[in-house]
Amino acid sequence: MRIGILTSGGDCPGINATIRGVCKTAINYYGMEVVGIHSGFQGLLTKDVESITDKSLSGLLNLGGTMLGTSREKPFKKGGVVSDVDKPSLILQNIRELGLDCVVCIGGNGTQKTAAKLAAMGINIVSVPKTIDNDIWGTDISFGFDSAVTIATDAIDRLHSTASSHKRVMVIEVMGHKAGWIALYSGMAGGGDVILVPEIAYDIKNIGNTILERLKKGKPYSIVVVAEGIRTDGRKRAAEYIAQEIEYETGIETRETVLGYIQRGGSPTPFDRNLSTRMGGHATELIAKGEFGRMVALKGDDIASIPLEEVAGKLKLVTQDHDLVIQGRRMGICFG
């Protein structure tokens, strides 16, 4: 059997570990031939590929980024690397010419949606969920999330000393346009006093009162963790907007920090390395069994899979009844 593998969308810690998990299992256990597809779906349009051997997988486990490269090419939308052809038909033709029996797609929500459409065309697809945002529906955790939370938590830990020394409010902005999982998990782990996520509405006066109440209790500094996608005035970044509003409400000196792409770079955590390895191996197992059109998923402690058609177009979002939100509120943390 000859399989192709690609990575699409944003980079993320653990992609290379997943590639390694898929390919080592395919080559060493199942005796499959593996073709690496460069630059995501763009590589399927241009037939930009390379043969992957066991030797070429050395050193990947702890390496950030993706050895195959990535792009945000969307085969079912106009534009991109080729714009004057029927891109889905071209992909189907190229898959046949390359002799691929299956394509493994590693990516986030957009990739899962594209993979589902390709599967509906009759292409043998198996996908693996990848995102630091942890917002892919159907899997408890996506690889990359733990690494991003670890980086964000370390940053929050460091801000405590600065905030304490200067008796300031420190606002730290983490990634998360629509889903606030990184803000929630890093904010709780880092001892945030206010945690703002896109899914839960906030009142700036409540935030100001929380900070002033802390001051009355002899706590002269506060840490505010915000997801980048929270509501603002539409002109400023989340951290800048919230910092200015807090300073206006409380009169306390407030500063902001934006982590940005730091959260997506570098080596994956041990948890993500193991999760990536498990998910990659399970993807190859699905191929060996002929179970196509499925996305690998973590369910509790088990690696399973679900139909791609159930995943496409859905988001997993933070809810008011999440146990971390409930426990945080019991501890006096302000969520808005």
Side-chain angles (χ1 to χ4, degrees):
M1 180 173 278
R2 181 177 166 93
I3 68 173
I5 182 169
L6 62 82
T7 59
S8 182
D11 65 305
C12 168
I15 296 178
N16 280 324
T18 306
I19 294 170
R20 176 179 178 270
V22 171
C23 297
K24 274 188 170 288
T25 308
I27 294 167
N28 296 326
Y29 189 76
Y30 289 108
M32 297 176 181
E33 184 181 355
V34 183
V35 174
I37 301 163
H38 295 157
S39 303
F41 294 106
Q42 178 178 311
L44 273 181
L45 290 166
T46 60
K47 290 201 286 190
D48 183 5
V49 301
E50 67 170 307
S51 294
I52 293 181
T53 64
D54 187 56
K55 183 179 179 181
S56 61
L57 300 168
S58 297
L60 284 187
L61 184 60
N62 65 335
L63 187 65
T66 164
M67 66 170 284
L68 295 174
T70 187
S71 72
R72 296 191 181 277
E73 172 68 49
K74 294 177 172 58
F76 290 90
K77 290 188 176 181
K78 293 182 179 180
V81 65
V82 290
S83 57
D84 56 346
V85 299
D86 182 342
K87 291 194 284 188
S89 295
L90 179 58
I91 283 177
L92 180 59
Q93 175 186 323
N94 287 345
I95 286 174
R96 288 171 177 165
E97 290 179 359
L98 290 167
L100 301 180
D101 299 299
C102 178
V103 177
V104 178
C105 301
I106 303 171
N109 286 295
T111 300
Q112 305 306 323
K113 190 173 182 179
T114 298
K117 289 181 178 180
L118 292 175
M121 290 173 56
I123 298 172
N124 292 337
I125 298 284
V126 170
S127 73
V128 183
K130 167 237 57 164
T131 174
I132 66 168
D133 292 328
N134 201 40
D135 60 351
I136 296 179
W137 189 91
T139 183
D140 291 349
I141 299 175
S142 303
F143 74 80
F145 175 63
D146 185 73
S147 298
V149 168
T150 299
I151 293 166
T153 302
D154 180 68
I156 295 168
D157 288 346
R158 293 171 186 273
L159 285 177
H160 274 276
S161 59
T162 296
S164 175
S165 298
H166 293 275
K167 297 180 175 57
R168 289 173 175 167
V169 177
M170 298 297 292
V171 180
I172 180 168
E173 178 185 314
V174 300
M175 283 185 162
H177 280 293
K178 296 181 179 178
W181 294 108
I182 296 176
L184 174 61
Y185 273 70
S186 66
M188 290 295 291
D193 305 299
V194 177
I195 301 172
L196 303 181
V197 298
E199 300 93 323
I200 300 176
Y202 68 88
D203 184 333
I204 197 66
K205 293 191 179 298
N206 289 342
I207 296 169
N209 289 337
T210 297
I211 292 168
L212 291 174
E213 283 298 316
R214 284 177 52 78
L215 185 61
K216 291 178 183 177
K217 294 176 182 178
K219 300 177 179 181
Y221 78 94
S222 296
I223 300 293
V224 180
V225 183
V226 303
E228 63 186 334
I230 64 167
R231 174 180 51 82
T232 68
D233 62 0
R235 299 190 301 272
K236 303 182 185 75
R237 291 195 67 107
E240 181 186 8
Y241 175 77
I242 292 297
Q244 290 177 359
E245 291 294 311
I246 288 174
E247 190 161 313
Y248 176 80
E249 289 289 331
T250 65
I252 301 173
E253 187 177 18
T254 306
R255 294 290 182 269
E256 75 269 8
T257 296
V258 179
L259 278 189
Y261 290 101
I262 290 172
Q263 297 157 88
R264 277 172 38 175
S267 298
T269 58
F271 177 88
D272 274 339
R273 296 180 199 188
N274 288 327
L275 178 59
S276 297
T277 299
R278 294 173 69 197
M279 284 186 159
H282 192 79
T284 309
E285 185 179 342
L286 290 174
I287 296 170
K289 291 179 178 179
E291 298 180 11
F292 304 117
R294 302 186 71 83
M295 183 190 80
V296 177
L298 180 67
K299 297 288 188 180
D301 293 327
D302 299 324
I303 302 293
S305 67
I306 57 176
L308 269 167
E309 61 196 33
E310 293 182 9
V311 179
K314 298 179 182 177
L315 285 177
K316 182 180 68 180
L317 301 174
V318 175
T319 59
Q320 296 270 10
D321 60 356
H322 189 279
D323 56 357
L324 272 183
V325 176
I326 293 172
Q327 180 60 21
R329 284 188 165 133
R330 288 171 177 168
M331 295 166 61
I333 296 170
C334 175
F335 285 91

